[in-house]
Amino acid sequence: MTDLETSMATIIAVFQKYSEREGDRHKLKKSELKELLQEELPGLMAHVKDQASLDSLMEGLDTDGDSECDFQEFMTFISIVTVCCHDFFAHEDE
């Protein structure tokens, strides 16, 4: 597999690793999303200072209003964070 194919497979595997823990295996409950973020993005989570910020993040991701994060909503989040990281590091090189 190419680097990009491997990365895509990894993102899917990480989502499934957490979504399969409780309830619907195609969606992340708030507790599963929190655990995923803490374990898989500890550098990012170091900047989240309170539970209200995490709750706000979950609400922003939940575009269909079901109080869970499906894979499409998760990918929207991953895409936004990746773009922000790209922009940050692009400016660091200047």
Side-chain angles (χ1 to χ4, degrees):
M1 285 199 307
T2 68
D3 288 346
L4 185 55
E5 290 169 330
T6 300
S7 297
M8 291 166 58
T10 299
I11 290 170
I12 293 166
V14 167
F15 179 86
Q16 290 174 342
K17 173 182 170 182
Y18 292 90
S19 68
E20 293 176 342
R21 293 184 177 179
E22 1 171 335
D24 187 340
R25 66 184 185 95
H26 299 290
K27 295 183 178 185
L28 294 164
K29 294 186 176 298
K30 187 182 289 188
S31 60
E32 293 168 324
L33 177 61
K34 181 179 179 181
E35 191 172 353
L36 183 155
L37 294 174
Q38 290 173 334
E39 291 182 19
E40 304 294 336
L41 295 171
L44 176 67
M45 291 304 291
H47 298 287
V48 177
K49 302 299 180 197
D50 57 39
Q51 184 62 41
S53 296
L54 193 58
D55 290 342
S56 178
L57 171 63
M58 181 68 175
E59 289 173 18
L61 291 176
D62 186 19
T63 58
D64 62 6
D66 67 354
S67 297
E68 295 181 317
C69 181
D70 64 27
F71 188 72
Q72 184 170 340
E73 292 165 336
F74 176 70
M75 283 307 301
T76 299
F77 169 72
I78 293 299
S79 297
I80 290 168
V81 171
T82 303
V83 167
C84 290
C85 289
H86 175 266
D87 291 347
F88 175 79
F89 290 115
H91 290 347
E92 287 284 306
D93 293 338
E94 295 174 352

